[in-house]
Amino acid sequence: MKDLSHLSADEWDEVKNPRPDTSEFDQVVERALSRRGFLSGVIAFGSGAAVMGTGLLTSTSARAQDAASGQFAFEAIPIHTDHTVHVPDGYEWDILARWGDPLFSDAEPFDPSSGVTVASSDKVFGENTDGMERFTVDGRQLIAVNHEYANVDTNLPHKGENAFTADDVRILQNIQGVTVMEIEEGEDGWQIVVDSPYNRRIHHRTPMTIAGPAAGHDLMKTNDDPTGTTALGTLNNCGAGKTPWGTYLTCEENFNGYFGVADPEVEFSLSEGFARYGIGREGRYGYELHDARFDVSKEPNEPNRHGWIVEIDPADPDSTPVKRTALGRFKHENAAAVVAPSGQVVVYLGDDERGEYLYRYVSNGTYTEGGPTDGLLDDGKLYVARFDDDLTGEWVELTPEATGMDPAEILIHTRMAASAAGGTTMDRPEWVAVNPVAAQGYVALTNNKNRGIGKANAGGDEMVINGPNPREANNYGQIARWVPEGDDHTANRFAWDLYVMAGNPIVGQGDYAGSENVTEGNLFNSPDGMQFDTTGTLWIQTDGDDSNEGPFTGMGNNQMLAGDPASGEIRRFLTGPNGSEVTGLTWSDDLRTMFVGIQHPDAPFPDGEGSLPRSAIVTVRRTDGEVVG
């Protein structure tokens, strides 16, 4: 049997639940490329951008972006292939927190050869950092950070080929989820404030409230919760977001990998919902063997209680996290929230799987600073994006009339609703980022290695390709962006283009060389994480092939780059250790420190030879003490 223990959550899911290799968005791009030319039409930036030419981008927004643009405050760094972090000259980095570092003084010390104990596993910084946000509460700085998944060979080094024990499962349940922690800067740099009253671990057994239109629906009820309004745990927390009122949004992605059937003799039928979301007989971590709620033959509705956006209040360590069902259920990557001119709250959401969709939530109520926020994430409209060949698009509301489903079912089975409404299937929508100085949204479409003809997604949505297919084996990925009509994120019409199409001008020919803003000096593949800083600079993080061979020659380890939306310039700022993904980004309140996540590094990062590898948050500062970036 193939060893799957070392795979990332996405890789494991693709092995266990293979998905189609083409998407309708590919075909829209291909038809546009054929009609207008590869670089002259769809790939565009600066004052001549395709979106500028549609008339949907107002002069006010364009001037704001141009005014924000400027020279980067660093020189680009080369690629690296070693096992450490690199930053530009004039910058320095350090470790803030690693898997196993104590949040509370009664946690046992981390063992470099065996990791953490069962007793301490919920008292320490968790594994595989991902999305994060910084909060300031009563003058104290807090970071909320996700712990996406576990690496069994690293986190349970004693296990080997043995079956999962109950203690194994408990450790894995505890080291995933979310950490909320206070941090402070001292003479020796940044560190965790151990025993801070704000420190908190939220994991796979933490009580949650289920809120919004799907709460209490029959599909949400279980033996332990016949009301369908409370749940235990938040699973596979990937990207993140921050509400205008200062709460944390953690996003449940590959939740399907935690469910299975304990008894191989039990008959198990794969429902339409299970098939579309990838629920199967075998979970990744053996949860179904020791925790009955993960056995879908016993609790068939338990998977419906995961795959949501979860709101957490970092300022109140006694608060109960809330699953916000109005934002839909799918494999959430992140949640990018913005307040529209009307005061309505808009949240952009991506479903990270081939052939799935990009979504938008618009609240019915309005937000005022310091005012009540009840209902803003429970009462609203959910839309799916449709991209048209003429480089415009539309947000299609998911209604009973458009989907043939009742309101709660639309939210529980959002993928089926989006299929019925005719959304544009996408190439694994990763992070969405909203420009703070111009009305623009960006989505990372990370890659599609097996694009083909005549394929369908798990819901049977056939992908018909019209026109040439310029990048049939898209190992590199791209970033799409859109501009809402009238600079209003609640508008249903938008214009779109591609900010960058990653490629390799060293070994690639034609379209495989990438767009004009890809050069031998900034090569990268598989854009994943994205975050804007306050100036409108787009920070791009990658999770791709770091072999530095073949199609990936000259790309080195995964990295973080800075992008200028107006000029299109992209410059490499940081490289991670070999084997790692660079993911998650936030800043200190004075903007003089950048916090960056390093996920699933290979040994010996960060502790040196003889120690288990440990995911970590690193700090990056300028040596002259000025603002970072």
Side-chain angles (χ1 to χ4, degrees):
M1 180 180 293
K2 182 179 180 181
D3 180 15
L4 306 181
S5 63
H6 66 288
L7 298 181
S8 71
D10 291 334
E11 292 167 335
W12 184 91
D13 194 47
E14 289 192 359
V15 171
K16 287 290 187 178
N17 305 285
R19 287 297 189 260
D21 302 321
T22 65
S23 79
E24 186 179 347
F25 187 71
D26 298 329
Q27 299 148 25
V28 170
V29 172
E30 289 155 10
R31 293 194 292 270
L33 293 176
S34 175
R35 183 176 63 254
R36 300 192 57 175
F38 180 57
L39 295 179
S40 63
V42 176
I43 304 293
F45 38 76
S47 60
V51 290
M52 308 281 185
T54 65
L56 295 190
L57 181 62
T58 69
S59 58
T60 300
S61 185
R63 286 196 300 269
Q65 180 62 72
D66 288 342
S69 301
Q71 294 296 316
F72 297 121
F74 64 92
E75 295 298 322
I77 68 171
I79 66 166
H80 291 89
T81 58
D82 57 9
H83 295 279
T84 190
V85 173
H86 294 271
V87 293
D89 290 341
Y91 291 76
E92 59 187 6
W93 71 274
D94 201 355
I95 298 289
L96 169 66
R98 301 158 295 183
W99 164 52
D101 282 349
L103 301 175
F104 303 98
S105 56
D106 59 348
E108 299 172 66
F110 181 84
D111 188 313
S113 63
S114 61
V116 299
T117 65
V118 177
S120 292
S121 55
D122 61 352
K123 300 176 182 179
V124 299
F125 187 78
E127 172 64 310
N128 279 328
T129 61
D130 208 307
M132 69 179 87
E133 295 284 354
R134 187 265 310 158
F135 302 85
T136 300
V137 179
D138 294 332
R140 302 186 183 193
Q141 296 195 61
L142 315 179
I143 282 183
V145 56
N146 293 342
H147 303 291
E148 184 180 11
Y149 68 101
N151 299 102
V152 173
D153 51 353
T154 297
N155 305 132
L156 301 175
H158 60 276
K159 177 181 175 297
E161 297 298 319
N162 299 318
F164 287 99
T165 68
D167 281 352
D168 291 340
V169 168
R170 183 56 56 88
I171 288 174
L172 297 181
Q173 289 180 331
N174 286 348
I175 64 174
Q176 299 175 72
V178 177
T179 289
V180 179
M181 61 185 183
E182 183 181 351
I183 59 172
E184 65 179 3
E185 187 177 20
E187 293 183 359
D188 296 326
W190 288 90
Q191 60 187 6
I192 298 170
V193 179
V194 176
D195 291 328
S196 165
Y198 294 102
N199 289 356
R200 184 181 187 188
R201 281 301 322 283
I202 298 165
H203 47 64
H204 292 182
R205 298 179 299 106
T206 301
M208 310 263 156
T209 297
I210 301 172
H217 191 277
D218 284 347
L219 289 173
M220 302 291 282
K221 298 175 180 178
T222 64
N223 290 321
D224 288 338
D225 174 31
T227 69
T229 58
T230 61
L232 288 180
T234 177
L235 306 181
N236 207 254
N237 304 83
C238 189
K242 189 175 187 179
T243 67
W245 49 93
T247 57
Y248 184 65
L249 301 177
T250 184
C251 307
E252 299 182 329
E253 191 188 12
N254 294 298
F255 63 91
N256 59 303
Y258 297 87
F259 297 93
V261 178
D263 186 349
E265 303 301 321
V266 169
E267 293 187 8
F268 171 69
S269 60
L270 193 65
S271 67
E272 180 185 3
F274 280 5
R276 187 64 186 267
Y277 285 87
I279 309 296
R281 290 195 66 99
E282 182 184 5
R284 184 174 187 183
Y285 301 117
Y287 282 19
E288 68 272 20
L289 303 177
H290 301 284
D291 190 336
R293 67 190 174 98
F294 291 95
D295 187 332
V296 291
S297 70
K298 299 176 180 178
E299 290 288 7
N301 284 344
E302 184 66 25
N304 297 336
R305 296 144 66 82
H306 304 276
W308 304 101
I309 299 294
V310 181
E311 184 178 15
I312 298 169
D313 185 358
D316 182 1
D318 297 321
S319 62
T320 300
V322 182
K323 299 201 174 196
R324 299 294 184 185
T325 64
L327 278 66
R329 173 177 167 266
F330 42 88
K331 294 183 179 180
H332 285 278
E333 182 69 18
N334 82 315
V338 62
V339 178
S342 63
Q344 291 169 279
V345 177
V346 176
V347 186
Y348 290 110
L349 310 151
D351 184 355
D352 182 10
E353 193 169 289
R354 290 191 183 100
E356 295 301 338
Y357 301 96
L358 177 68
Y359 296 91
R360 180 189 69 167
Y361 169 85
V362 180
S363 69
N364 288 327
T366 58
Y367 168 72
T368 56
E369 187 172 355
T373 60
D374 294 345
L376 290 179
L377 296 182
D378 291 333
D379 178 21
K381 298 179 176 67
L382 190 63
Y383 301 78
V384 65
R386 190 187 72 213
F387 290 79
D388 296 327
D389 291 359
D390 63 357
L391 303 183
T392 66
E394 181 179 3
W395 293 103
V396 180
E397 185 180 352
L398 300 181
T399 64
E401 294 75 20
T403 64
M405 304 165 69
D406 73 37
E409 289 173 340
I410 288 171
L411 302 175
I412 296 169
H413 295 309
T414 308
R415 286 182 168 180
M416 283 93 97
S419 294
T424 298
T425 56
M426 306 287 278
D427 280 348
R428 289 188 58 195
E430 297 271 7
W431 284 65
V432 179
V434 178
N435 193 331
V437 301
Q440 300 172 345
Y442 290 66
V443 60
L445 305 174
T446 192
N447 58 52
N448 188 345
K449 62 185 177 182
N450 295 317
R451 183 183 302 174
I453 296 175
K455 297 293 182 72
N457 67 13
D461 303 322
E462 189 175 357
M463 315 296 178
V464 179
I465 296 178
N466 295 317
N469 185 346
R471 290 178 25 141
E472 197 165 71
N474 176 16
N475 290 311
Y476 298 127
Q478 58 210 27
I479 296 174
R481 67 178 171 184
W482 65 93
V483 177
E485 188 172 25
D487 285 358
D488 184 352
H489 285 286
T490 69
N492 288 338
R493 296 290 303 173
F494 60 88
W496 68 273
D497 67 5
L498 296 181
Y499 172 65
V500 63
M501 183 171 280
N504 194 330
I506 296 176
V507 299
Q509 301 295 319
D511 299 344
Y512 293 93
S515 51
E516 288 182 347
N517 50 347
V518 173
T519 70
E520 293 187 19
N522 68 1
L523 296 182
F524 66 95
N525 73 89
S526 302
D528 190 327
M530 294 192 302
Q531 193 84 290
F532 275 99
D533 65 22
T534 57
T535 70
T537 297
L538 178 64
W539 295 88
I540 304 165
Q541 301 173 316
T542 70
D543 179 22
D545 191 307
D546 63 1
S547 65
N548 204 37
E549 299 176 348
F552 308 103
T553 297
M555 295 186 176
N557 293 347
N558 280 301
Q559 55 193 279
M560 185 167 75
L561 310 99
D564 182 352
S567 71
E569 181 184 1
I570 297 174
R571 187 178 295 186
R572 185 183 298 115
F573 176 80
L574 176 149
T575 60
N578 190 257
S580 73
E581 170 188 355
V582 181
T583 181
L585 172 64
T586 192
W587 287 263
S588 59
D589 60 3
D590 62 6
L591 304 180
R592 298 180 189 278
T593 302
M594 176 184 283
F595 302 99
V596 183
I598 303 296
Q599 188 186 98
H600 61 75
D602 289 343
F605 184 86
D607 295 340
E609 297 293 341
S611 179
L612 292 167
R614 303 166 72 179
S615 62
I617 297 176
V618 301
T619 61
V620 180
R621 298 183 290 187
R622 284 176 54 156
T623 54
D624 62 6
E626 294 300 314
V627 171
V628 177

